[in-house]
Amino acid sequence: MVITAQLPTAREEPRPAEPARSARRGSMLWLWPFALTLAVAGYGMTDSLLGRDELVTWDMVGRDTGRILATLGNVDAVHGTYYLLMHGWVELFGDSVVSLRLPSVLAVAAAAAVIALIGDRLFGYRAGILAGFLFAISPAVSRYGQEARSYALVMLAVALATLLLLRALDRPRSPWRWAGYALALVLTGLLHLIALSVVLAHACLLVAHARQDRSLWWKAALALAAVAGCVAPLAVLGSSQAQRQLYWVPAPDGWALLSLAQGLFASALGGGAVIALAVLARSQRRAPLVLCGVWALLPPLLVWAASHGEVSYFRSVYVLFTLPAWALLAGAGVAAASRSRKAAVALVATLAVLTLPDQRQMRQPFEHDAPVPVDYAAAADVIKRFHRPGDAVVYDRADTWKLDGGVRYYLPRDLRLRDVFLTRTPAAIDDLYAVQCSVPDLCVEDEPRVWLLTQGTGFPFNAIDPAQASALQRRYTVSESRPVTGMTVSLLERIGAPGGVRQS
């Protein structure tokens, strides 16, 4: 009997390389969406001026930690976690436009990576990476990925909580995985309370898995109880401040609900395409479709219903955390509808080209202050060029938005002007708005020139408080007025003072 040794065939030799190939394929799953989102959201990051909300961020994070906490006790508690995180960031990297917006850019890039990982687990590899790409090219991701507010971090936190729940369900006996899920939900709630409504989508997933393992109920309940205990104080404090902060948001009608997609996707064409692709999503299991469908649809409906009481919360930006769900469903739809990888890539590329006008719109100079644009930088430039030592300034504070903060941000930090009618800064009183002089005549001193910055383009003295206007008009005359977008920069010269050379 002859025994013949079998040598490995050519087909068997590559087997040791399979783990490396699988690892490389797995890393590409999240790395490509991360890189694409980072490139798209980072492009033109400084093209738009800081908006009013971003100026509030700048004002808050420039205070020390004690002042921030004291302010949160009076107003804006729901954004407190973001302000504290950004305070630490600004301490390290400064308060330039790039520095203020970079955390949001990094957050949406990380969110795209997490979305791809979720999509792979729910719908397969191709659907996952396509979901990450579709998220990356959404104009809304560029818009809020370039804003110094918490919304980009909220999208990341919600997506991360969902991924960690899936991992906990893979190994339900691991307390560390449940702890990770709970921590991600705590972060979600501390950044944005409304975003905790994603738990309803998570509950649908738990129902599907609990049929086989009933112990999941008490494990999930324990995790959610810990989350509730952590965010309850913020919820109580935030609800007490809601009327003051959201008094201006109107109660929505039925049409507002139907038109929500325009604001949510920041593109009518892009939003319509994503919704159409989401309808095509297919899965061999029901749970992934239910999870993403509830995540995408239920929070807007709940916010709409809750906005018919004393306070309306109905703003598209408050449900921006549903974008990852739409991207997941659309990615699954593209994967189901396209027969090849090339066809899927071509479809995504076509959508990217079609939404280019919306992407350009997101980077317009006044996009972050739309629909009432104000050119703070141009106003600051006028003062910077024609400033003289000893000049003072008066800001139109009839509107509570940050006209003064915007101009101050774009002025050189070493250019200091006495704010004539300012008696207490917002930081000094732990608030967002300044306290002005109650008797304007007593606050006007002997500066030879005063810069008057007013909203709109009318006669400057008509735009400010009548008592302030009267106090100024008795002592000063308008030497020159320069309109810039959204405001007027006027130079007042003291009556009887030696005249200077007017510059144009």
Side-chain angles (χ1 to χ4, degrees):
M1 181 175 179
V2 179
I3 300 176
T4 305
Q6 285 191 332
L7 298 176
T9 64
R11 188 172 294 178
E12 291 173 328
E13 288 178 354
R15 285 183 181 176
E18 288 298 326
R21 184 181 297 113
S22 177
R24 185 166 58 252
R25 187 170 183 262
S27 63
M28 290 300 102
L29 168 66
W30 63 265
L31 187 57
W32 280 113
F34 177 89
L36 178 61
T37 310
L38 188 65
V40 174
Y43 177 75
M45 191 194 316
T46 61
D47 290 354
S48 296
L49 298 176
L50 291 181
R52 296 180 179 95
D53 285 349
E54 292 180 290
L55 291 167
V56 173
T57 296
W58 171 66
D59 180 19
M60 286 290 293
V61 302
R63 308 177 189 187
D64 61 47
T65 303
R67 284 292 191 189
I68 294 174
L69 293 173
T71 303
L72 299 179
N74 298 322
V75 66
D76 234 10
V78 291
H79 295 296
T81 301
Y82 176 71
Y83 292 147
L84 292 168
L85 292 173
M86 286 297 295
H87 173 72
W89 174 273
V90 168
E91 285 286 308
L92 293 173
F93 302 107
D95 63 355
S96 68
V97 174
V98 171
S99 178
L100 289 172
R101 289 176 173 171
L102 186 57
S104 293
V105 174
L106 295 174
V108 291
V114 175
I115 288 166
L117 294 172
I118 296 172
D120 177 42
R121 298 174 71 94
L122 295 180
F123 301 106
Y125 185 91
R126 185 194 293 182
I129 199 166
L130 288 170
F133 287 162
L134 288 167
F135 180 80
I137 65 173
S138 170
V141 171
S142 289
R143 168 64 174 80
Y144 294 101
Q146 294 185 354
E147 178 151 299
R149 296 298 280 177
S150 63
Y151 306 115
L153 277 71
V154 173
M155 285 191 283
L156 171 59
V158 169
L160 184 61
T162 305
L163 178 62
L164 291 176
L165 174 61
L166 291 169
R167 287 177 55 80
L169 293 175
D170 287 343
R171 196 179 297 173
R173 294 184 179 180
S174 170
W176 299 111
R177 295 200 174 193
W178 287 105
Y181 169 61
L183 286 173
L185 277 183
V186 168
L187 177 62
T188 299
L190 294 179
L191 285 171
H192 194 56
L193 288 167
I194 292 175
L196 280 179
S197 58
V198 74
V199 169
L200 298 172
H202 293 173
C204 296
L205 193 62
L206 286 166
V207 168
H209 284 74
R211 294 171 182 170
Q212 300 174 349
D213 184 358
R214 293 188 178 278
S215 69
L216 290 178
W217 286 120
W218 70 262
K219 292 172 183 176
L222 189 62
L224 293 178
V227 173
C230 291
V231 302
L234 177 62
V236 172
L237 182 58
S239 63
S240 69
Q241 299 173 356
Q243 182 64 47
R244 179 186 178 189
Q245 292 185 234
L246 297 174
Y247 66 90
W248 55 275
V249 180
D253 55 16
W255 176 250
L257 183 61
L258 293 175
S259 59
L260 182 67
Q262 170 65 35
L264 179 62
F265 295 100
S267 168
L269 177 61
V274 167
I275 292 172
L277 292 171
V279 173
L280 300 176
R282 297 291 182 271
S283 175
Q284 294 180 347
R285 295 169 297 147
R286 183 183 177 187
L289 293 173
V290 173
L291 167 68
C292 294
V294 173
W295 179 0
L297 295 173
L298 193 55
L301 291 172
L302 290 176
V303 173
W304 182 86
S307 296
H308 292 87
E310 294 182 358
V311 180
S312 174
Y313 304 90
F314 197 77
R315 297 182 66 205
S316 59
V317 71
Y318 289 170
V319 292
L320 200 65
F321 65 90
T322 62
L323 269 183
W326 286 109
L328 287 165
L329 289 170
V334 174
S338 56
R339 296 183 178 180
S340 67
R341 181 174 60 185
K342 291 182 179 179
V345 171
L347 182 57
V348 174
T350 300
L351 182 57
V353 171
L354 291 175
T355 55
L356 275 177
D358 297 303
Q359 291 283 2
R360 283 195 291 268
Q361 180 62 40
M362 296 304 104
R363 292 161 178 81
Q364 291 302 303
F366 309 116
E367 181 60 27
H368 290 256
D369 256 346
V372 185
V374 180
D375 198 338
Y376 309 109
D381 185 63
V382 172
I383 297 175
K384 181 175 66 175
R385 286 189 291 130
F386 303 125
H387 163 264
R388 294 179 187 173
D391 285 357
V393 67
V394 170
Y395 292 103
D396 172 11
R397 292 189 173 97
D399 186 343
T400 55
W401 291 115
K402 293 290 183 179
L403 182 67
D404 53 344
V407 176
R408 284 191 296 106
Y409 178 84
Y410 286 100
L411 281 173
R413 295 296 184 264
D414 59 351
L415 197 162
R416 299 184 181 278
L417 302 169
R418 188 180 79 88
D419 196 331
V420 174
F421 297 121
L422 177 67
T423 56
R424 302 189 73 186
T425 65
I429 59 172
D430 301 324
D431 208 308
L432 299 181
Y433 309 113
V435 174
Q436 298 200 88
C437 187
S438 59
V439 184
D441 273 307
L442 300 179
C443 295
V444 179
E445 296 183 2
D446 59 353
E447 289 92 357
R449 307 194 322 167
V450 174
W451 293 96
L452 175 58
L453 287 85
T454 54
Q455 298 180 72
T457 56
F459 184 60
F461 286 129
N462 291 341
I464 60 175
D465 177 80
Q468 294 179 1
S470 177
L472 290 172
Q473 281 184 295
R474 283 195 292 272
R475 298 168 177 83
Y476 295 90
T477 183
V478 178
S479 171
E480 187 175 0
S481 289
R482 292 170 179 264
V484 299
T485 301
M487 62 186 298
T488 300
V489 182
S490 301
L491 178 60
L492 310 182
E493 292 188 352
R494 196 170 187 87
I495 297 172
V501 178
R502 294 187 184 179
Q503 311 215 33
S504 60

